[in-house]
Amino acid sequence: MTVRLHVNVDHVATLRQARGTRYPDPVAAATVCELAGADGITVHLREDRRHIQDRDVVVLRETVGTLLNLEMAATDAMVAFAARVRPDLVTLVPEKREERTTEGGLDVAGSFDLVRSAVARLHDAGIVTSLFVDPSRTQIDASRRAGAAIVELHTGDYANARGAGAATELARLVDGAAHAWSSGLRVAAGHGLTLRNVGAVAAIVSVEELNIGHAIVADSVLVGLAEAVRRMRAAIDAGRAPRSS
Ligand code: PXP
């Protein structure tokens, strides 16, 4: 089974917002990603609207032909927005305004009632929900009890670790993925993945999909967006391929 690649186009919008221009357009970028082989498009509608805007999500809902994954905080306003726009998938993420990017997974165990209620309301709106969690058995068990269909394992600690630390973090991801899978959850992963570190995550058998943004958009500055998506696709496939020796 290949691993699906969902490309996060947030940072195309970051470039646009930096100047308040109409370009570059994350909607056009999403089309290029799909043409280059992306299996889905991911956007994070942050509460401070620092990159993706409401209108981007509304237009993407009309234009994306693969799958639209909306990352958002578990607030009433965001749940109401999602129920109106109806992305294929919502990924609930923690959000602090001051952070540079999403730091740490959602504390599902610690905010169980809030998360369970958000998952239930999204389910009633016909939206599949994924929870972005650290690869901890406690958080994974809580995610299952909260009614999530998918857990997205946070790969940031693995991506930031060096040497033996990276092996330790990878082992946590392997354990978390196996635990989630055996509990009946589907398994995704993402954050901080690059051409160099994605292979080992793609090799984890129960991981079905990866959400990758910053590295692809960064590489696109140098090699073009379609080529950056193709290179990531190839790195994922190479990591997934059974070893011949
Ligand atoms: N998955 C989730 C839940 C995220 O919040 C992000 C960042 O928005 C990503 C994946 C993508 O991370 P990166 O941009 O580092 O590839």
Side-chain angles (χ1 to χ4, degrees):
M1 189 180 66
T2 59
V3 184
R4 293 187 294 278
L5 170 60
H6 295 172
V7 179
N8 180 318
V9 295
D10 290 352
H11 295 303
V12 175
T14 300
L15 197 55
R16 177 189 64 189
Q17 300 307 116
R19 280 286 175 91
T21 49
R22 299 177 76 157
Y23 64 86
D25 185 352
V27 175
T31 302
V32 172
C33 292
E34 289 187 298
L35 288 171
D39 302 292
I41 300 299
T42 296
V43 286
H44 185 175
L45 186 64
R46 294 190 71 105
E47 289 189 82
D48 63 8
R49 306 299 195 267
R50 71 175 68 156
H51 39 53
I52 292 295
Q53 306 296 305
D54 298 39
R55 178 185 173 279
D56 296 324
V57 187
V58 171
V59 178
L60 284 165
R61 173 65 295 178
E62 298 299 320
T63 60
V64 167
T66 52
L67 172 148
L68 180 62
N69 173 24
L70 174 62
E71 297 174 352
M72 58 178 226
T75 63
D76 289 344
M78 285 293 177
V79 170
F81 177 79
R84 207 163 58 245
V85 178
R86 298 172 66 102
D88 301 290
L89 177 64
V90 159
T91 303
L92 295 178
V93 300
E95 195 173 304
K96 292 192 218 82
R97 273 167 201 266
E98 63 277 13
E99 70 191 356
R100 217 184 311 165
T101 180
T102 313
E103 291 162 8
L106 190 64
D107 182 9
V108 184
S111 47
F112 185 75
D113 290 341
L114 185 143
V115 174
R116 185 174 55 177
S117 151
V119 172
R121 280 179 288 154
L122 291 164
H123 183 268
D124 289 348
I127 302 167
V128 176
T129 305
S130 174
L131 300 178
F132 182 53
V133 294
D134 290 329
S136 117
R137 289 184 175 220
T138 306
Q139 296 297 345
I140 292 164
D141 289 342
S143 300
R144 183 185 48 73
R145 285 188 285 112
I150 307 171
V151 279
E152 179 177 343
L153 301 180
H154 194 319
T155 52
D157 287 342
Y158 158 72
N160 291 332
R162 293 289 166 267
T168 305
E169 293 303 331
L170 185 62
R172 288 183 67 215
L173 289 166
V174 170
D175 178 75
H179 184 69
W181 179 257
S182 63
S183 326
L185 289 159
R186 287 161 54 198
V187 185
H191 207 279
L193 296 176
T194 67
L195 287 177
R196 285 185 184 77
N197 66 23
V198 74
V201 178
I204 301 172
V205 279
S206 44
V207 170
E208 291 178 28
E209 68 199 26
L210 297 173
N211 287 289
I212 306 179
H214 188 266
I216 291 175
V217 175
D219 289 351
S220 80
V221 174
L222 303 177
V223 302
L225 183 53
E227 180 61 18
V229 172
R230 283 193 291 268
R231 287 183 189 196
M232 189 59 77
R233 173 81 264 159
I236 292 168
D237 291 345
R240 189 66 158 194
R243 304 282 180 275
S244 52
S245 57

